[in-house]
Amino acid sequence: MTNLQFIKSVSSTGTSSVDITNIFTDKYDVYCIKSDTFEIVGTSSQNLYRRLLDSTGTVISATEYASATLEGRAWDSSFIESRSTSQNYMATSSYINDDSTEGTGFVQYIYNPYDSSSYTFSQTQTSSWNNNASRGLVMRKGISVHKNAEQITGIRYYVAGGTFTFKASVYGVK
């Protein structure tokens, strides 16, 4: 049975990025970040991306991530797979629709972020509503690795354009 230990909650409105800083320490090996509230504000639908923050709080934006994602759509009978061994963000970018009454949610587990002798791994599951012509539920499940052994202390969530509303809670996993 998983025991979640609350660390921090964050919320932001009308921003293009949210940094959750100083959340990873030597106290836990595994962390859980949960969000059931984020919505795009005033622009078209797009993805929410993720990047790690190093021990100085600097965003890691180099092509140091590898990932794989599986996407399922309610209106499609097949799954979409994507893989990359070299990209500048983590897998499973959550889809944010452009209807302010509908949001998305995710659960992200992050493994060994504070251990400077280990790669940092991530596992994410998301659900969202596609507000385009197809209109239906979209789920994404993915895994990522940051292919550089260094101490990680936080994470950035961001969109490529526009702004979003965001609420999330961070937990240590025992």
Side-chain angles (χ1 to χ4, degrees):
M1 182 173 177
T2 301
N3 187 0
L4 299 179
Q5 307 289 311
F6 177 77
I7 295 173
K8 183 182 215 176
S9 285
V10 296
S11 63
S12 182
T13 301
T15 186
S16 61
S17 68
V18 174
D19 290 353
I20 308 177
T21 59
N22 301 317
I23 52 173
F24 305 134
T25 67
D26 61 357
K27 189 170 181 178
Y28 304 99
D29 294 327
V30 181
Y31 293 82
C32 176
I33 302 173
K34 293 183 175 186
S35 175
D36 61 5
T37 303
F38 63 84
E39 300 166 348
I40 197 72
V41 179
T43 190
S44 62
S45 302
Q46 58 182 297
N47 290 316
L48 181 74
Y49 298 99
R50 300 161 170 86
R51 289 180 172 152
L52 298 172
L53 306 177
D54 68 16
S55 61
T56 67
T58 302
V59 176
I60 301 170
S61 59
T63 54
E64 299 178 2
Y65 303 97
S67 60
T69 303
L70 181 67
E71 179 177 311
R73 301 173 182 175
W75 63 92
D76 195 347
S77 63
S78 61
F79 289 97
I80 299 168
E81 295 179 12
S82 62
R83 289 175 222 135
S84 175
T85 58
S86 183
Q87 61 190 38
N88 65 1
Y89 57 87
M90 301 178 87
T92 325
S93 305
S94 302
Y95 178 81
I96 307 174
N97 71 61
D98 59 357
D99 184 336
S100 62
T101 63
E102 299 163 343
T104 186
F106 70 81
V107 175
Q108 180 175 16
Y109 286 91
I110 299 178
Y111 303 88
N112 303 317
Y114 202 72
D115 183 351
S116 61
S117 64
S118 175
Y119 288 174
T120 298
F121 294 86
S122 173
Q123 172 187 347
T124 308
Q125 296 181 75
T126 71
S127 64
S128 59
W129 182 260
N130 181 319
N131 199 31
N132 296 326
S134 302
R135 292 189 182 268
L137 186 65
V138 177
M139 78 83 194
R140 290 181 178 166
K141 187 169 185 154
I143 55 173
S144 293
V145 60
H146 174 238
K147 303 182 299 181
N148 191 5
E150 64 183 298
Q151 193 173 74
I152 304 299
T153 59
I155 190 165
R156 170 175 284 182
Y157 294 94
Y158 70 98
V159 292
T163 61
F164 64 98
T165 297
F166 181 84
K167 290 182 185 176
S169 295
V170 181
Y171 302 89
V173 179
K174 285 213 173 211

